[in-house]
Amino acid sequence: MLKNVLSQSWRRGAHVLQEGHPAEALYACSSRFHSGQVFRSARSFFGVEDFMDEDNSKPYTYKKEKRSKNPHKHISFKQRTIAHMEPFTLDVFISKRFVSASLTHRSTCRQVAVAGTNSKDVKAALTSRSDVPACLSVGRFLAERAKEADVYACTYTPRERDRFEGKIRVVVQSLIDNGIHVKLYLD
């Protein structure tokens, strides 16, 4: 379309030159475009044109992404694929008042199954909400809800402050006894 406009103005300018009006003809003929191409980048979100690089091929784009401190750091195959090979992770939280556990999908960060002693159905059946029988019941309920969601395997890595003993071990053992395969990563 731009070529059509330019060719019409060029023809009009040449025509005006033939009629004897040199000023209009010089104006129409002196406007140059580089072989019919206008170098212009796409407009950004705020309506300001982006800067062009040296060869005018692409506009600059500044990405706001997290860069690692060491950009040349090698990421192993296991680090890249572990979230897809073992997608479900177990999270156990034990306080002085209650016990809760959940299975979370790593890639989508959604909780697939949750069980805790604060829920109404478990709270009514227990005498205490933080003792060993409460941990056993949380593991049993979590295993039932995980099977309903078609989850039969998960991984567990204890937090830095937690040791794999006592009530945490009871919850994990209860999951294993009720048919969920738990893979432990102990450092």
Side-chain angles (χ1 to χ4, degrees):
M1 181 162 171
L2 182 63
K3 286 185 178 181
N4 292 338
V5 171
L6 292 176
S7 64
Q8 288 175 2
S9 65
W10 181 263
R11 275 190 240 122
R12 188 170 20 118
H15 180 69
V16 169
L17 183 62
Q18 290 173 356
E19 290 181 3
H21 301 283
E24 292 177 279
L26 291 175
Y27 174 74
C29 298
S30 65
S31 60
R32 282 188 179 168
F33 290 90
H34 306 284
S35 68
Q37 297 176 1
V38 177
F39 295 113
R40 185 174 169 186
S41 64
R43 290 190 167 266
S44 66
F45 178 75
F46 298 107
V48 180
E49 291 182 7
D50 295 329
F51 294 102
M52 302 289 281
D53 58 357
E54 297 83 35
D55 61 348
N56 291 329
S57 61
K58 298 177 188 172
Y60 288 123
T61 53
Y62 298 102
K63 297 179 183 176
K64 287 187 176 181
E65 61 185 24
K66 290 185 178 178
R67 293 184 180 175
S68 64
K69 293 179 181 177
N70 184 1
H72 304 292
K73 181 179 178 184
H74 176 73
I75 299 173
S76 69
F77 180 76
K78 183 177 180 181
Q79 289 173 333
R80 284 181 274 147
T81 59
I82 192 77
H84 302 287
M85 301 298 284
E86 298 169 348
F88 298 102
T89 182
L90 173 66
D91 183 32
V92 180
F93 180 73
I94 297 175
S95 72
K96 292 180 181 178
R97 292 184 150 193
F98 64 92
V99 177
S100 68
S102 65
L103 285 174
T104 308
H105 193 269
R106 282 185 180 181
S107 299
T108 60
C109 298
R110 298 210 175 181
Q111 290 184 339
V112 177
V114 179
T117 55
N118 277 345
S119 61
K120 290 182 181 178
D121 55 345
V122 180
K123 194 188 296 187
L126 296 174
T127 56
S128 174
R129 288 191 259 167
S130 62
D131 58 352
V132 173
C135 294
L136 287 170
S137 64
V138 165
R140 186 176 69 247
F141 280 119
L142 187 64
E144 291 172 3
R145 293 173 183 169
K147 287 178 185 176
E148 289 174 5
D150 282 341
V151 177
Y152 295 97
C154 67
T155 60
Y156 177 67
T157 306
R159 296 185 180 113
E160 291 179 8
R161 66 178 184 270
D162 294 340
R163 282 183 260 160
F164 187 67
E165 59 185 31
K167 295 177 185 177
I168 294 177
R169 188 178 187 116
V170 169
V171 172
V172 174
Q173 189 62 43
S174 176
L175 273 172
I176 293 170
D177 293 341
N178 287 299
I180 303 295
H181 176 68
V182 180
K183 189 173 185 180
L184 295 171
Y185 288 107
L186 302 175
D187 292 332

